[in-house]
Amino acid sequence: MVEKFSKLCVELGDRSYPIFIGDGLLQSSELLASHIHGKQVLVVTNETIAPLYLSSLVDGLSAYSIETLILPDGEIHKNIEVLNTIFDTLLAKKYNRAATLIALGGGVIGDMTGFAAACYQRGINFCQIPTTLLAQVDSSVGGKTAVNHRLGKNMIGAFYQPQCVIIDTSLLGTLPDREFRAGLAEVIKYGLIADVEFFHWIEKNISKLLARDPDALCFAIEKSCANKAKIVEKDEHENGVRAILNLGHTFGHAIETFQSYKGWLHGEAVAIGIIMAAELSSLLGWINQADVCRIRKILAFCDLPAVAPKDMSSKIFLELMSVDKKALDGSLRFVLLRSIGVATVTSEIKPDLLMKVI
Ligand code: NAD
Ligand code: GLY
């Protein structure tokens, strides 16, 4: 049993759940066991993570009737066909409504397993064990679950909260550097949208974070999750303030769509999106150029992109962003910064300002 770990809670009435954060928590099966209902457990993971961590997890759960399902790795497999293999397994093994699904993986596995849990027999329990930095600070918390459709990313899904989130920071030890740095963009995002003190802390401790110092990582993940939990508690279904979690995403999504999701990682596209949102906020007079420089500097320190893809013209940007526009009832929405630590959502951006930024 790991002795030192932190516990946060996402307070959502009867859907409230704890987030445990610590170095080595995968070995602490007691934490997980207390959130497993029933005897039947299906662990869903992928072919990259399984050889690294699946046996440690399963060994600790010998009191249960455990099955494992190893999915192919990658965003292209986040679809209805692969989701169906989870249902096939649950049905073939005669899993009942008291069964628990465990997602052991990054955002792809977490989103798919969560959606399977939301649908199977109209909803069964599930636990998140996120293994990427992005999943530990963002996707495992808040209950957004989904698969992609060929016509749109995350278009088929549900809000469905887990029973618990167990974050073992030691799992990040095997995460490829590029994935790790892309996750840092999301950590920086929390400082910018909601927590100026945390942003200062990141500025001071960025070298420790890049060196994956366990204490620094635990602190940054805890702060990120606490900020996310607070926002989700106010607006679980994204009817309002939850949208600020999408800082940099209007620009970032346009880049990801342009590259057919095969180019930059999500966090890399978000990083340049954050810079564009900061420049736009500065053109509106909300933040000054010194703030923009600080934002550029911290993202550059993480080796995240500082300019949009060279082959992406402003015309393409506008076209791709207006696809988002249709989805949002005719108005293009941006998350901008009133100051470092305070974000706001606006659809009142004049085209000339937007063109300057692009
Ligand atoms: P991912 O799940 O594809 O993982 C990235 C890569 O790292 C994969 O190849 C994976 O196998 C590998 N990997 C994972 N953990 C590892 C480890 N510990 N060691 C070695 N390799 C490891 O990508 P991601 O960035 O975690 O998640 C992206 C997904 O998350 C997208 O589908 C996105 O839509 C979704 N997302 C969801 C939310 C939400 O709120 N639900 C928020 C943000 C993103
Ligand atoms: N990642 C955005 C959200 O959870 O709302």
Side-chain angles (χ1 to χ4, degrees):
M1 173 86 182
V2 174
E3 276 164 21
K4 211 179 106 204
F5 63 88
S6 351
K7 180 181 173 188
L8 303 169
C9 190
V10 185
E11 301 285 359
L12 290 170
D14 59 3
R15 296 177 313 292
S16 299
Y17 54 96
I19 304 171
F20 300 103
I21 304 161
D23 190 28
L25 286 192
L26 194 65
Q27 314 296 333
S28 291
S29 47
E30 314 75 22
L31 279 184
L32 183 59
S34 59
H35 296 278
I36 293 176
H37 304 179
K39 283 280 165 215
Q40 296 173 312
V41 175
L42 176 67
V43 181
V44 182
T45 189
N46 77 20
E47 60 205 2
T48 306
I49 299 152
L52 297 169
Y53 302 116
L54 186 56
S55 62
S56 304
L57 175 63
V58 170
D59 289 352
L61 296 174
S62 53
Y64 298 89
S65 160
I66 293 231
E67 298 287 340
T68 59
L69 178 62
I70 299 174
L71 301 181
D73 187 1
E75 185 74 33
I76 53 161
H77 301 292
K78 188 182 173 183
N79 57 38
I80 290 272
E81 289 72 35
V82 176
L83 177 76
N84 221 6
T85 65
I86 306 181
F87 299 136
D88 291 344
T89 307
L90 290 166
L91 285 164
K93 305 284 178 188
K94 298 192 169 34
Y95 273 53
N96 60 38
R97 290 208 66 215
T100 296
L101 289 185
I102 297 177
L104 175 69
V108 169
I109 289 294
D111 280 15
M112 278 209 289
T113 308
F115 188 41
C119 299
Y120 186 69
Q121 298 199 15
R122 302 190 183 86
I124 61 171
N125 298 314
F126 91 108
C127 301
Q128 290 269 18
I129 306 185
T131 63
T132 62
L133 184 56
L134 178 135
Q136 296 191 346
V137 298
D138 191 354
S139 63
S140 66
V141 174
K144 278 190 181 175
T145 72
V147 292
N148 300 330
H149 185 275
R150 84 190 146 76
L151 298 179
K153 188 168 150 70
N154 291 332
M155 281 295 153
I156 315 294
F159 284 99
Y160 195 69
Q161 304 294 342
Q163 295 296 307
C164 69
V165 181
I166 296 188
I167 299 178
D168 180 346
T169 54
S170 76
L171 307 190
L172 300 179
T174 52
L175 191 66
D177 203 46
R178 188 173 166 206
E179 295 286 350
F180 182 80
R181 284 185 279 104
L184 281 178
E186 302 284 356
V187 173
I188 293 165
K189 174 190 84 179
Y190 289 109
L192 291 172
I193 60 172
D195 193 339
V196 63
E197 274 179 32
F198 182 40
F199 186 74
H200 292 159
W201 182 91
I202 298 169
E203 286 184 314
K204 279 202 196 108
N205 291 278
I206 191 65
S207 302
K208 282 191 190 164
L209 286 175
L210 283 165
R212 306 191 197 191
D213 173 88
D215 290 341
L217 271 180
C218 279
F219 181 82
I221 292 167
E222 194 180 328
K223 277 281 177 196
S224 300
C225 290
N227 275 300
K228 179 152 187 184
K230 242 191 273 170
I231 293 167
V232 169
E233 285 163 4
K234 284 190 200 136
D235 179 23
E236 184 181 3
H237 296 127
E238 199 170 313
N239 296 313
V241 70
R242 185 165 179 167
I244 67 170
L245 290 167
N246 295 330
L247 176 70
H249 285 58
T250 309
F251 298 110
H253 277 161
I255 294 173
E256 287 180 277
T257 310
F258 175 67
Q259 298 177 331
S260 310
Y261 298 93
K262 290 181 200 131
W264 291 3
L265 299 177
H266 176 70
E268 294 171 333
V270 165
I272 187 66
I274 289 176
I275 291 175
M276 294 171 92
E279 291 287 7
L280 195 47
S281 310
S282 157
L283 285 175
L284 289 164
W286 293 352
I287 62 173
N288 56 37
Q289 270 301 309
D291 292 329
V292 178
C293 283
R294 281 172 73 186
I295 295 169
R296 283 184 176 277
K297 192 171 160 197
I298 193 79
L299 292 167
F301 211 89
C302 301
D303 242 342
L304 287 160
V307 283
K310 296 254 181 305
D311 48 348
M312 205 172 160
S313 65
S314 41
K315 187 164 167 270
I316 294 175
F317 248 113
L318 284 177
E319 263 171 29
L320 292 175
M321 290 198 304
S322 67
V323 174
D324 258 7
K325 182 175 165 177
K326 283 194 205 88
L328 292 166
D329 274 347
S331 56
L332 197 48
R333 285 197 314 171
F334 293 94
V335 182
L336 300 181
L337 298 174
R338 287 272 175 196
S339 62
I340 289 186
V342 181
T344 189
V345 181
T346 178
S347 42
E348 311 280 302
I349 297 299
K350 295 210 178 82
D352 58 319
L353 286 191
L354 188 56
M355 281 312 285
K356 264 193 192 167
V357 163
I358 295 174

